[in-house]
Structure formats: C-alpha cells, structure tokens
C-alpha cells in the first residue's frame, strides 16, 4: 500500500537530526518514601513530594503513579510566526489540534499560520506539511494548498491526514502524494446532511473510528457530532440536532454547546471536550452521549467526576492505562480523569505564564490540545497563546 504523506514526512524529519533524550523521569519517589526497613516514613513522604513539586492536587499516586515530573518547552519561543527549525528556533502561531502517527511523528494544525505542520518529539524539529500561510481555500499540493484557520487534525494508520478547516466549513484530506483535497463541505456555513450537498458550520475536530471507515467531526456552531462515511462520501448527524444545550441521551436527543475536539479512546468510544458546557462527554459509536466529568459551570475544582469544574476545556488525550488528560484552556492547566472517574490537576498553577519546571510550578498560556506519546511516556501539548509545543515528562 502506498505510503501517506505523514509517512513521507516521518522519514524526512527522522533524518534531520539526532538528539539524546534526557531520562523521562526518575525513580526518586520510591527511595524517598521508603526507609531501609521498608516502612513508610511520613517525613520522607513529605520531603519526596516537595522535591518533585507534586504536593496536593498535583499528584494522586493511586491515579497517576510516577508518570511525570516536569514541564518543558519543546518548540517555539513564545512569539507568533512561521519558521521551520528545531526547538525554540521554530516559530508557530496559535497551534491547535494535535495528533500522532503510528511512527511517533506528531502533526498539528497551526491555526494562525493556516498550515499543517509536523513535530518530531525525538529531535524537536518542526516542518511544514501543507498550507501557503495565507487564509484561503485552495486544493493543491503541499505549500500550494490553502486553509483558513485549520483547527482539528487526525492521521490514519497509512499516514493519511484529515483536517477540520474551520472558516472554509470543509473537511480536507492530505493524501499519499501530499495533495490537499476537499472530502466534505460546500464552503457555505449550514447544517445539511448528504454527500456533495453536506454543510458544516465551523468544523473543529476530527477522529477516525476503529475501522478507519468513518470520520467523526465536531460541528462547533451546529452543536453536533457529524459522521462522514469515507467510502461513500455521505455525511450524517450522529448526535445533537443543531440546538445548543446540555443533555445526555441518544442521537438527536443529546445536546452539546460548542463541542471543540474529539479523540477516540481504546474502547472505540469518543471523548469530546464540550467547551461551553465545561464538561467532558463520551460518545459511543451508536450515538449515546454521557457526561463523565464537569458540572456544567465554569470554574476550577478537582473532585469526583460530575462535581469537578473546568473552564472551557478544548483538548483530551488517553494513555494506555485509561487515564484521560484534559487541556483546561481558560484555567491554564492540564487536568486528568482517573479510571475511577475522579478529576485531578496534573500541571499548571492557574496563572497564565511561560514557566517551565516542576508540575506544581509550571505555567501555561491557554493549552489547547494534547496527545499521549506511549513510546516516550510523555504528554505533548499545543499551547495557543504561548505559540509553543510543551512536553510533560
């Protein structure tokens, strides 16, 4: 089978440079928590937790054991721009949706640059995949193609990239030749199911089902989740009916309020940060919607699922143990939902800022989306106002 453009980019980026990665995390916790007799010392527990910067809500050993200890900047310098380079020499402009190919290469929608770009987590090299850098609509190859505020992105097992092109009200695809083509949407804002006549009103997120035969799309201003059959080109509405609300239920009985992005979990269901409902929703392939965290009101509160509070959540990721990580945009924090449903804070003080460092001391400027790198055991975060890619390791 022919390689997708993502696989071609993977090879190019892999050859760019080689870096030695620092250890993902150390094992100081165990040695600091246990005395020589194997009994727990409360004093050493406190010292160990302070050393790692994970006191209080920033660490739940049962829910998040020894996975992360620090936040660092991997690409971008905090200033908007468009420049391919390594690390902080690269320039980004409001990076949004982020995804990872099977090879480990990361792809993101660089909204302010109207481009699709690639980030190699092993070398921190940024490259542009497609987009002229102008706000326009052009089907074409690579940098000759035009997007208008691309928001969401996903990649299939063959390296084909799918993009939610917000202001063009279209869904685009970057194929094996690097050509950008339109696969759904007329370019006119609307709410119409069908094939060539299908319409969206600001598509924001995209995710493939387990067979990769269907593409789910968060239709932001239609407050709905749409489904594109990739074989027939037919668009249908899986959940929501175009009216904003906050109701769990099946198909058109469910209500969303500006669903932002969408990611598939290991069970084949979909997770949706429902932005103005300040909650995280779960959607089954049959169209059943359930709220798993958030009480519907903006705020900041850790706790049991439906009692917790978010403030405009925009991105989610799931690790191999079933933990869900949330980009809590307006709280400038990264949150997590443990398998038992409880919500905690992983990183960020809540103050908008640029500080790298321990989880408890770190600062973000509107974290937008994130992906869990299962090979490196890290979280890779797109940061809108910081114009950066951050890594939690």
């Amino acid at each position: 089978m022919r390689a997708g453009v993502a696989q071609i980019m993977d090879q190019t980026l892999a050859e760019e440079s080689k870096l030695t990665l620092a250890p993902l995390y150390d094992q100081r916790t165990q040695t600091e928590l246990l005395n020589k007799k194997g009994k727990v010392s409360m004093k050493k527990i406190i010292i160990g937790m302070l050393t790692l910067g994970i006191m209080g809500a920033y660490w739940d050993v049962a829910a998040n054991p020894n996975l992360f200890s620090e936040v660092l900047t991997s690409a971008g310098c905090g200033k908007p721009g468009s420049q391919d380079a390594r690390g902080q020499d690269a320039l980004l402009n409001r990076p949004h949706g982020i995804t990872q190919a099977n090879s480990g290469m990361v792809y993101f929608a660089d909204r302010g640059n109207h481009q699709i770009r690639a980030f190699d987590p092993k070398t921190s090299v940024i490259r542009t995949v497609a987009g002229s850098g102008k706000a326009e609509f052009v089907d074409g190859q690579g940098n000759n193609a035009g997007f208008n505020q691309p928001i969401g992105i996903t990649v299939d097992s063959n390296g084909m990239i799918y993009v939610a092109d917000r202001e063009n009200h279209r869904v685009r695809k970057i194929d094996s030749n690097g050509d950008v083509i339109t696969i759904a949407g007329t370019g006119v804002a609307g709410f119409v199911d069908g094939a060539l006549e299908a319409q969206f009103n600001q598509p924001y997120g995209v995710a493939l089902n387990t067979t990769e035969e269907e593409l789910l799309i968060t239709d932001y201003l239609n407050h709905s989740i749409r489904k594109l059959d990739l074989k027939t080109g037919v668009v249908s509405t899986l959940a929501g009916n175009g009216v904003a609300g906050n109701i769990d239920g099946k198909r058109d009985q469910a209500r969303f309020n500006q669903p932002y992005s969408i990611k598939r979990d290991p069970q084949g269901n979909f997770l949706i940060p429902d932005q103005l409902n300040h909650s995280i929703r779960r959607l089954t392939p049959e169209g059943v919607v359930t709220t798993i965290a958030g009480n519907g009101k903006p705020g900041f509160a850790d706790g049991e699922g439906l009692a917790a509070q978010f403030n405009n959540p925009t991105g989610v990721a799931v690790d191999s143990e079933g933990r869900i990580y949330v980009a809590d945009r307006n709280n400038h924090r990264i949150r997590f939902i443990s398998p038992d449903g409880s919500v905690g804070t992983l990183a960020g003080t809540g103050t908008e800022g640029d500080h790298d460092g321990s989880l408890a001391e770190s600062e973000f400027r509107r974290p937008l989306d994130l992906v869990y790198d299962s090979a490196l055991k890290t979280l890779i975060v797109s940061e809108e106002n910081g114009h950066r890619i951050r890594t939690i390791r």
Side-chain angles (χ1 to χ4, degrees), residues 82-137:
S82 179
Q83 179 171 294
D84 290 346
R86 180 194 293 180
Q88 296 186 35
D89 290 331
L91 294 177
L92 296 69
N93 193 346
R94 300 180 67 196
H96 265 59
I98 191 166
T99 190
Q100 189 169 38
N102 289 341
S103 64
M105 201 62 61
V106 171
Y107 298 89
F108 64 95
D110 199 1
R111 176 179 178 176
N113 284 322
H114 314 288
Q115 293 173 323
I116 304 304
R117 307 183 73 184
F119 166 73
D120 186 340
K122 293 182 179 179
T123 66
S124 295
V125 171
I126 295 281
R127 283 288 187 90
T128 300
V129 177
S132 66
K134 301 176 183 177
E136 57 186 354
F137 169 68

Side-chain angles (χ1 to χ4, degrees), residues 226-302:
R226 315 289 291 280
K227 181 172 68 175
L228 169 62
D229 187 316
L230 294 174
K231 289 184 177 180
T232 66
V234 174
V235 174
S236 58
T237 301
L238 180 61
N241 68 354
V243 178
N246 189 6
I247 301 175
D248 288 344
K250 190 171 183 178
R251 294 189 176 274
D252 62 356
Q253 297 178 355
R255 298 288 187 276
F256 300 91
N257 196 346
Q258 297 187 2
Y260 209 93
S261 61
I262 184 167
K263 299 282 180 70
R264 192 181 74 229
D265 71 15
Q267 290 72 44
N269 298 312
F270 299 90
L271 297 169
I272 301 164
D274 195 0
Q275 185 184 15
L276 292 190
N277 281 325
H278 311 285
S279 59
I280 307 303
R281 319 286 293 275
R282 176 177 284 126
L283 171 67
T284 70
E286 295 75 31
V288 178
V289 178
T290 306
T291 302
I292 61 172
N295 67 3
K297 299 177 181 179
F300 170 67
D302 289 333

Side-chain angles (χ1 to χ4, degrees), residues 27-48:
Q27 298 295 330
R28 288 178 293 175
T29 304
Q30 293 181 8
T31 58
E32 291 175 350
L33 297 190
L34 300 177
N35 62 20
K36 294 182 180 180
K37 294 182 181 181
K39 296 180 180 179
V40 176
S41 165
M42 182 57 66
K43 180 179 179 179
K44 291 180 179 180
I45 288 175
I46 295 172
I47 293 173

Side-chain angles (χ1 to χ4, degrees), residues 94-99 107-111 115-117 147-155 161-167 170-174 202-207 215-218 259-263 314 368-369 382:
R94 300 180 67 196
H96 265 59
I98 191 166
T99 190
Y107 298 89
F108 64 95
D110 199 1
R111 176 179 178 176
Q115 293 173 323
I116 304 304
R117 307 183 73 184
F147 299 90
N148 193 345
Q149 297 193 34
I151 299 288
I153 185 170
T154 193
V155 58
I161 298 172
Y162 297 87
V163 180
D165 193 1
R166 178 185 125 149
E167 289 302 312
R170 291 176 167 103
V171 178
R172 319 286 291 280
K173 176 182 176 181
I174 308 175
Q202 295 191 353
Y204 258 60
V206 283
L215 186 73
L216 270 65
I217 303 142
T218 51
Y260 209 93
S261 61
I262 184 167
K263 299 282 180 70
T314 52
L368 238 294
D369 199 7
S382 59

